Amino acid sequence: GSLQAWADDGQFNYLVGRSRTDVTGPAVGVQMFGFVRADQISEGIHLRQYCRTFIIADPASQQRLALSVVDLGSVTYELWHEVLDQLQRKYGTQYRRDNFVLTATHTHAAPSGYWHTAANTAVGSPFYGEYFDAIAGSIVDSVVAAHEDLRPA
C-alpha cells in the first residue's frame, strides 16, 4: 500500500514496523548445526528460534528497508532467494535485492539441514526440504507482519 497517507500530515519522517515469528526447527531426528558432527542429532527443544524483522519506510520517497535476523547458523543464497521470491509474489517490487537484508545470529544451537549446496559435505548435513520450506515461510511471515505493523516513528 501507499505510504503517502502517513506523509501528508507532515508530523513523521519515517514509519517503522517490527515483528517476531517462530522459526524453530524439527524437535527430534535432525543433525544440529553445532560443530557438524554426525552424532549431534536433535532430541527435543531447549530454546525456540525466531526471526525478527524491522522495516523502516520513508513515506515521502516511498522507499523502504527491511532487515530480518533469523536464529540460524547461517543464511544461504537459496534461502534468501526463496524468501525474496515469496515476498515479490505478495508485494511486487516493494522488496528487492537492494532493500531486503536477511542475516543470521550464527547460533550453533539450531537444526541444520537447510543448505542446498553443502548438504552431505564436511560442513553440512542431509538436506530437509520440509524444514527449508518452513524456515522460508516463517521468515516471509515475519516480513509480512512487520509490513502490516508500519507506524509513525
Side-chain angles (χ1 to χ4, degrees):
S2 173
L3 302 175
Q4 193 59 46
W6 290 106
D8 288 341
D9 69 15
Q11 293 181 22
F12 305 102
N13 293 327
Y14 294 101
L15 305 178
V16 175
R18 76 279 184 274
S19 72
R20 183 180 83 156
T21 57
D22 195 316
V23 297
T24 304
V28 295
V30 175
Q31 186 174 341
M32 298 297 287
F33 192 84
F35 296 97
V36 195
R37 289 181 17 204
D39 64 337
Q40 281 185 316
I41 305 299
S42 59
E43 297 178 349
I45 296 173
H46 179 68
L47 297 171
R48 302 200 75 79
Q49 285 85 45
Y50 295 96
C51 179
R52 295 155 186 90
T53 297
F54 301 91
I55 299 174
I56 302 167
D58 178 3
S61 69
Q62 296 292 303
Q63 293 186 9
R64 64 186 65 215
L65 173 68
L67 171 63
S68 294
V69 182
V70 62
D71 290 331
L72 292 174
S74 65
V75 171
T76 64
Y77 174 78
E78 293 83 6
L79 180 60
W80 174 83
H81 199 271
E82 176 62 27
V83 170
L84 188 57
D85 280 351
Q86 289 185 37
L87 289 172
Q88 289 182 338
R89 283 195 295 276
K90 182 168 182 65
Y91 294 113
T93 60
Q94 287 188 58
Y95 299 102
R96 306 171 308 277
R97 295 173 62 109
D98 65 340
N99 73 348
F100 173 63
V101 179
L102 177 59
T103 189
T105 59
H106 192 75
T107 181
H108 283 247
S112 189
Y114 58 91
W115 285 25
H116 288 74
T117 54
N120 296 314
T121 69
V123 295
S125 65
F127 178 73
Y128 299 97
E130 287 182 24
Y131 180 40
F132 175 88
D133 292 343
I135 294 169
S138 294
I139 295 168
V140 168
D141 290 346
S142 184
V143 177
V144 168
H147 180 95
E148 293 174 357
D149 185 61
L150 283 169
R151 301 284 185 270

